Amino acid sequence: MAKANELLKLDNQLCFQLYSASRLMTKLYQPLLKPLDLTYPQYLVMLVLWEEQMGHKFTVTNLGQRLKLDSGTLTPLLKRLESKHLIKRQRSSEDERQVWIRLAPLGDSLKSQAKRVPEKLLCETGIKEQDLNTTRELLKSLFDKADF
Amino acid sequence: MAKANELLKLDNQLCFQLYSASRLMTKLYQPLLKPLDLTYPQYLVMLVLWEEQMGHKFTVTNLGQRLKLDSGTLTPLLKRLESKHLIKRQRSSEDERQVWIRLAPLGDSLKSQAKRVPEKLLCETGIKEQDLNTTRELLKSLFDKADF
DNA sequence: AGTAAATTAATTGTGTACAACTTAATTTTT
DNA sequence: AAAAATTAAGTTGTACACAATTAATTTACT
């Protein structure tokens, strides 16, 4: 059937556009994150932490819900951030199952440098902020609409 | 500056929407690909091969350009597809640097099952084909426009 | 209270991604 | 033709992702 063949073509699949756009985006961020010594997923974790005041505590589960990542990904990533002295990991004494994650002073001070990253990205890629917002909204609504 | 703080918020970043949408998409495909015993990136490689007649030969570089993946990713992935007898890898005799990749009979026969995957995905997620097309076009134009 | 069920991180194993490098083969220069 | 540059695929090392499992703890329930 012609229809199924068309659907099967790589370029016609949203999945592939998303997949390659996402990886491209990571590559675009890389040179901007290198001075901060952060990988892209590490940067995302820091973004979440930076949204709150310095003393704010997150559990690993909190971060996971926000970023849609599980402990299998987060635990080693957070250990790497800790070894760079950007965050502190501390097992909760109230509930020994939980581990509190919070900004360390070095991680907090990194925020001012990070603030320049989004505008630099727009600038360097020549992406119009309007186009970017449109795409972002469309993606968000598409995935909010579907029930998963 | 308020503007920079807003830009820094996770939800305002297209990068994060792309990143999580892409991973979500992978997860949605997973149950559909499991019967085919394919991972999502393996499925993408197969899509490229299925676009051509059975005898068509691709080099690793060809596939890499199409999928925007390098040999460091493709070589082990292709070896896994070969071990499942879905493709054949054969070093070219004309140019010994190259390796020809082509569908094996089993890989070719898998195409008929794979044809159902895209429609099943739309069906199971309730995503409207129209919304999907709009997003796909917007993403494509956004990334074609930027010069990278 | 005491046990079952649920929750939280961590661990294990597989499979990408990709930078940087290596090796071998081919092409271009000189 | 020999040297230099380029190209193709593979290798190595690091860092995700994530399914499945485990271990420790807490909560719920009888």
Side-chain angles (χ1 to χ4, degrees):
Chain A
M1 193 191 283
K3 169 93 177 204
N5 259 323
E6 278 308 305
L7 276 175
L8 211 54
K9 282 190 181 164
L10 184 65
D11 288 337
N12 292 338
Q13 306 230 8
L14 173 63
C15 71
F16 178 63
Q17 300 296 340
L18 279 175
Y19 168 77
S20 60
S22 175
R23 285 186 300 113
L24 177 56
M25 198 58 109
T26 303
K27 274 181 210 162
L28 294 176
Y29 268 93
Q30 212 169 269
L32 302 175
L33 296 179
K34 188 147 199 167
L36 311 184
D37 188 29
L38 288 176
T39 67
Y40 180 72
Q42 288 168 12
Y43 170 69
L44 294 179
V45 169
M46 295 306 290
L47 283 183
V48 174
L49 298 178
W50 285 328
E51 282 185 17
E52 303 292 336
Q53 293 301 312
M54 165 126 191
H56 191 89
K57 294 180 292 190
F58 291 86
T59 63
V60 175
T61 305
N62 290 160
L63 291 174
Q65 287 164 341
R66 198 82 172 74
L67 297 161
K68 302 180 203 300
L69 291 170
D70 73 0
S71 67
T73 302
L74 282 175
T75 296
L77 189 157
L78 293 169
K79 284 182 178 173
R80 282 187 281 272
L81 287 178
E82 187 184 38
S83 75
K84 290 192 265 200
H85 309 292
L86 298 178
I87 66 167
K88 284 205 182 90
R89 294 167 68 249
Q90 182 185 13
R91 195 160 289 273
S92 162
S93 52
E94 303 108 70
D95 185 339
E96 293 272 354
R97 293 170 305 178
Q98 297 185 121
V99 170
W100 293 121
I101 306 296
R102 71 182 86 186
L103 277 178
L106 196 60
D108 185 58
S109 66
L110 206 61
K111 184 178 179 179
S112 60
Q113 289 179 65
K115 278 185 182 174
R116 294 286 147 76
V117 170
E119 31 188 324
K120 270 192 197 163
L121 186 88
L122 292 180
C123 188
E124 289 189 11
T125 58
I127 294 176
K128 299 281 177 304
E129 198 175 341
Q130 186 53 52
D131 290 352
L132 191 138
N133 286 335
T134 308
T135 310
R136 182 169 46 72
E137 288 304 324
L138 192 55
L139 271 183
K140 190 167 158 53
S141 71
L142 178 61
F143 283 87
D144 285 351
K145 229 185 301 177
D147 53 342
F148 35 79
Chain B
M1 189 192 284
K3 169 92 177 206
N5 258 323
E6 277 307 306
L7 278 175
L8 211 53
K9 282 189 181 164
L10 184 66
D11 287 340
N12 292 338
Q13 306 230 8
L14 173 61
C15 70
F16 178 64
Q17 300 296 342
L18 278 175
Y19 169 77
S20 60
S22 174
R23 285 185 300 111
L24 176 57
M25 198 57 109
T26 302
K27 273 181 211 160
L28 294 175
Y29 269 92
Q30 211 168 268
L32 303 175
L33 296 179
K34 189 149 197 162
L36 311 185
D37 188 30
L38 288 175
T39 67
Y40 180 73
Q42 289 168 11
Y43 169 69
L44 294 180
V45 169
M46 296 305 290
L47 282 184
V48 174
L49 297 178
W50 285 327
E51 284 187 14
E52 303 292 336
Q53 293 303 311
M54 165 126 190
H56 190 89
K57 294 181 291 189
F58 291 88
T59 63
V60 175
T61 305
N62 290 160
L63 291 173
Q65 287 165 342
R66 198 82 172 73
L67 297 161
K68 300 179 206 298
L69 292 171
D70 73 359
S71 67
T73 302
L74 282 174
T75 297
L77 189 157
L78 292 169
K79 283 180 179 173
R80 282 188 280 271
L81 287 178
E82 188 184 38
S83 75
K84 289 191 266 199
H85 308 293
L86 298 178
I87 65 168
K88 283 205 183 94
R89 294 165 70 247
Q90 182 186 13
R91 196 159 287 272
S92 162
S93 52
E94 301 109 70
D95 185 338
E96 294 270 354
R97 293 171 304 180
Q98 298 184 118
V99 169
W100 294 120
I101 306 296
R102 73 183 85 186
L103 280 176
L106 196 59
D108 185 58
S109 67
L110 207 61
K111 184 178 179 179
S112 61
Q113 287 180 66
K115 277 184 183 174
R116 295 285 146 77
V117 170
E119 34 188 320
K120 270 192 196 162
L121 186 88
L122 292 179
C123 188
E124 290 189 9
T125 59
I127 294 177
K128 298 281 178 305
E129 197 175 341
Q130 185 54 50
D131 290 352
L132 191 138
N133 286 336
T134 309
T135 311
R136 182 169 47 71
E137 289 302 326
L138 191 56
L139 271 183
K140 190 166 157 54
S141 70
L142 178 63
F143 282 87
D144 286 351
K145 232 185 301 178
D147 54 342
F148 34 80

